[in-house]
Amino acid sequence: MNYSGKVVLVTGGSSGIGRAASLAFARAGAAVMIGDVDERAAETVALIQAAGGQAAWQRTDVSSKSQVEALVAATVARFGALNAALNNAGILPPPRPFTEVAEADFDRTIAVDLKGVFLCLQAEIRHMQAHGGGAIVNTASVGGVIANPNMAPYVAAKHGVVGLTKSAAIEYARAGIRVNALAPGLVRTEMTEAWFHTPGFMEAFYAGSPIGRAADPAEMSGMILHLCSDDATFTNGQVFVIDGGQTAI
Ligand SMILES: NC(=O)c1ccc[n+]([C@@H]2O[C@H](COP(=O)([O-])OP(=O)(O)OC[C@H]3O[C@@H](n4cnc5c(N)ncnc54)[C@H](O)[C@@H]3O)[C@@H](O)[C@H]2O)c1
């Protein structure tokens, strides 16, 4: 895939899936702008620049409308365009049975994982509408397609991301904007690292997983780059589950 001359915005590019996708976009020739609350975004930028690519980052809390709007403006100011976006920043609340979920954990998960995607879509689409279109991928989860136990706020937020994806996709297809969702299964990142050290947890997970392992973050990048590319010009409003077969059982 050739992203030469393209500008891509990635939220949550400090680590995990967002960092891997940022590196992949840059390797394919894109200029990458990262929005993240974590200053280790600078490390992702340094990795890209060390490999000869173009990247920058701006501290952004995706739950803040003004910060998200400033991020899109900064992307265009720095690189002159916004052709594609990966709305990927997310958090995982502490695992709790449904009736024991703290209201504050519910509110923060919805603010970051759902409202954050909503705000990013609004700002990105406004720009793309006025500048010839674009392509957007939202990082949902298998938790956006099925329910995982003890993760009600996350499951609700990720199902909401699927709803936002479909809503934006059908409203802006004729403006040349495609919006799709990625639904990863278990990926070994900072978000899930503790699970790998929880006695019995991974054994139980692997027993129910056809592929019997977690994904590396880089295993998400191929689908993300495909969906944002001109190889996918008729692909819109869909959810792409990348889970090693977990939800096929
Ligand atoms: N790891 C998995 O198994 C898995 C599975 C399905 C979906 N996902 C989703 O993938 C996305 C990326 O997660 P990951 O696994 O790479 O985890 P991660 O923790 O490595 O990355 C999450 C990134 O989001 C950033 N972030 C958190 N809150 C933010 C905020 N308010 N504003 C801006 N940035 C913020 C973090 O700093 C970090 O860079 C998330 O949306 C997550 O829900 C992950």
Side-chain angles (χ1 to χ4, degrees):
M1 265 168 281
N2 184 1
Y3 275 87
S4 296
K6 302 288 187 192
V7 179
V8 182
L9 172 58
V10 177
T11 68
S14 294
S15 67
I17 295 167
R19 172 175 282 185
S22 298
L23 296 172
F25 274 122
R27 270 196 305 273
V32 179
M33 173 62 97
I34 295 168
D36 205 300
V37 284
D38 187 333
E39 63 190 20
R40 286 176 303 162
E43 292 172 11
T44 310
V45 170
L47 286 168
I48 291 171
Q49 290 173 340
Q54 289 186 81
W57 81 284
Q58 176 151 312
R59 190 180 303 277
T60 308
D61 181 339
V62 293
S63 69
S64 159
K65 182 178 165 77
S66 60
Q67 291 184 36
V68 167
E69 289 177 347
L71 175 65
V72 170
T75 306
V76 177
R78 177 70 185 257
F79 294 120
L82 174 60
N83 304 111
L86 173 63
N87 299 322
N88 166 81
I91 56 171
L92 195 62
R96 295 280 183 276
F98 200 106
T99 54
E100 292 168 29
V101 172
E103 185 180 358
D105 287 333
F106 184 85
D107 287 348
R108 187 62 187 156
T109 306
I110 295 297
V112 175
D113 291 3
L114 181 58
K115 184 181 165 189
V117 172
F118 169 71
L119 294 172
C120 288
L121 282 167
Q122 277 197 325
E124 291 154 2
I125 289 170
R126 283 187 191 121
H127 177 85
M128 289 176 177
Q129 232 185 333
H131 296 87
I136 301 173
V137 171
N138 300 317
T139 307
S141 167
V142 291
V145 183
I146 60 168
N148 306 118
N150 301 320
M151 291 171 66
Y154 186 81
V155 168
K158 294 299 188 179
H159 274 70
V161 169
V162 171
L164 292 176
T165 300
K166 292 179 181 176
S167 296
I170 63 164
E171 288 187 43
Y172 296 99
R174 291 187 187 201
I177 301 169
R178 297 181 299 100
V179 187
N180 291 288
L182 180 80
L186 181 63
V187 186
R188 188 163 189 170
T189 65
E190 289 182 18
M191 179 176 280
T192 55
E193 188 58 34
W195 298 349
F196 292 82
H197 308 285
T198 305
F201 187 95
M202 293 317 305
E203 289 74 7
F205 177 82
Y206 292 148
S209 160
I211 207 162
R213 65 174 177 85
D216 182 89
E219 292 182 276
M220 303 297 124
S221 304
M223 180 59 80
I224 294 166
L225 265 69
H226 168 70
L227 290 173
C228 289
S229 79
D230 288 344
D231 289 346
T233 47
F234 206 61
T235 307
N236 191 36
Q238 301 303 314
V239 184
F240 292 87
V241 178
I242 311 284
D243 69 349
Q246 181 192 339
T247 53
I249 294 177

